[in-house]
Amino acid sequence: MNGSMKSWCAGSLGALLCVMLSGCGASANTANTANVVEGGSKGAKRSDAFQAAADNGTTTVVVGATGVVLTSSDRGNSWARRQLDPLSSFVGVSACADGSFAALDFFHRVWVADAAGDNWQARAIEEPANPLAITCDAGNRLWVVGSGSTIASSSDQGASWSTTVVGDDAMLASVQFLNEQEGFITGEFGAVYRTGDGGATWEALRKIGEDFYPYAAVFADRDRGWVSGLAGVVMQTTDGGNSWSRRVNEAGAPIYGLALDGGTPLGVGINGLVFRASGDQWKLAGARKSTYLRAALPFGDGRILVAGGVGGVEVMTLDDDPKVAANN
């Protein structure tokens, strides 16, 4: 781990990702090789630390901290395993409107692939210095946020980038576009930004709280959104981020990933716990044997893909008894 990363790890927001990135290095010149191995019903190894998942309607992609990519064309019934650069560390992945995929490598690269999750190509990204989150909007533009309050965007699949700096020097932890024009960013010290003009400008909204450090965020529409943070805190807005209210977390446990199942928010977190919002409360909806879960990907048919540490990747339903599931 290099010196700049050690410094970043000392911060509250960096602690989560540094656990997942420990042991990884950086090599900007490593060749892009992809050996495909059929992975049966799972395709994961115990050493895998999965961070994110995306689906374009026909292909599902899961990415990990050592350059591992899993792809499935049957919603997780079988997997193909690809090992890209083993010195990469994927922290995010997004499916674009045209079906292509883009994965964010913490070590200054964005990897793009076709709609089948094949033909991965690495593209350099200089800023942010520590990239943390990626999304692709409805116009197929890529957006990356991270350290230094920096927002980077690309309209040519990462071949070139433009950057914008908003606010003070802080980590921006999540970015989501609802359509081509409307999007939200959340970050360190409770920062929330909103755009209504396709990212041309970003409006700073009222902060969630000076001591709030977000792990994940998801917005259902321009009014309703949820952000999870340290110590199991979950905050909700019903007015587009102008005000926030704390919601009850039944387990009091950290939630590292958020997603929407229809209009219902779901969360995954420490010790393989899975959560579902019910009214103003977040209730346990399942559990899997894992040190942590980071990715939650609902398929819209009652099933949800979850992925995380110790090779944890599974398609599950949310009608399990959490206590029973945790002991299986």
Side-chain angles (χ1 to χ4, degrees):
M1 190 179 295
N2 61 35
S4 62
M5 187 174 173
K6 286 180 180 177
S7 175
W8 176 68
C9 286
S12 298
L13 185 55
L16 172 64
L17 279 176
C18 285
V19 171
M20 307 172 200
L21 297 172
S22 59
C24 297
S27 175
N29 299 315
T30 303
N32 174 17
T33 58
N35 298 320
V36 181
V37 178
E38 292 301 325
S41 61
K42 193 168 185 179
K45 296 181 179 180
R46 186 172 178 80
S47 58
D48 290 332
F50 294 114
Q51 309 302 315
D55 184 271
N56 64 7
T58 58
T59 302
T60 306
V61 170
V62 182
V63 297
T66 54
V68 171
V69 176
L70 299 184
T71 58
S72 175
S73 59
D74 54 14
R75 291 294 176 89
N77 290 314
S78 62
W79 295 94
R81 178 190 179 86
R82 288 166 172 79
Q83 176 68 69
L84 301 181
D85 183 350
L87 297 182
S88 289
S89 192
F90 292 125
V91 294
V93 65
S94 182
C96 294
D98 63 4
S100 64
F101 292 92
L104 180 60
D105 184 343
F106 183 81
F107 297 110
H108 300 110
R109 287 176 292 187
V110 168
W111 296 71
V112 295
D114 60 26
D118 294 329
N119 302 312
W120 291 88
Q121 301 292 325
R123 309 286 170 79
I125 179 170
E126 298 299 326
E127 297 291 340
N130 299 122
L132 298 182
I134 188 170
T135 196
C136 192
D137 68 21
N140 298 307
R141 292 177 300 171
L142 299 179
W143 296 86
V144 174
V145 299
S147 60
S149 295
T150 301
I151 305 167
S153 63
S154 173
S155 58
D156 53 14
Q157 287 199 312
S160 62
W161 295 89
S162 60
T163 59
T164 300
V165 177
V166 294
D168 299 325
D169 184 8
M171 297 284 184
L172 302 180
S174 77
V175 55
Q176 178 188 350
F177 271 80
L178 302 172
N179 47 52
E180 277 194 72
Q181 299 300 315
E182 297 176 302
F184 289 90
I185 289 172
T186 64
E188 198 174 20
F189 309 120
V192 183
Y193 297 92
R194 178 177 59 196
T195 183
D197 56 12
T201 60
W202 292 88
E203 174 190 6
L205 303 179
R206 182 176 179 179
K207 290 187 176 183
I208 299 174
E210 290 290 345
D211 296 325
F212 186 84
Y213 292 84
Y215 284 153
V218 66
F219 287 81
D221 49 47
R222 63 182 302 169
D223 294 321
R224 297 178 300 134
W226 298 261
V227 182
S228 61
L230 293 174
V233 174
V234 180
M235 304 294 289
Q236 181 182 0
T237 181
T238 57
D239 57 9
N242 291 306
S243 64
W244 294 84
S245 299
R246 183 167 178 169
R247 299 310 185 205
V248 175
N249 178 342
E250 179 182 65
I255 297 175
Y256 298 147
L258 294 172
L260 287 173
D261 186 11
T264 302
L266 306 173
V268 293
I270 197 168
N271 296 329
L273 298 180
V274 182
F275 302 80
R276 176 168 47 198
S278 177
D280 290 340
Q281 298 188 38
W282 283 70
K283 296 181 176 294
L284 285 176
R288 289 298 179 266
K289 283 190 174 181
S290 179
T291 52
Y292 65 86
L293 294 175
R294 276 276 291 165
L297 181 65
F299 287 134
D301 57 3
R303 300 180 306 142
I304 175 176
L305 182 147
V306 297
V310 293
V313 57
E314 181 178 351
V315 178
M316 60 179 288
T317 59
L318 296 183
D319 55 359
D320 295 331
D321 183 332
K323 295 179 182 178
V324 173
N327 292 320
N328 285 340

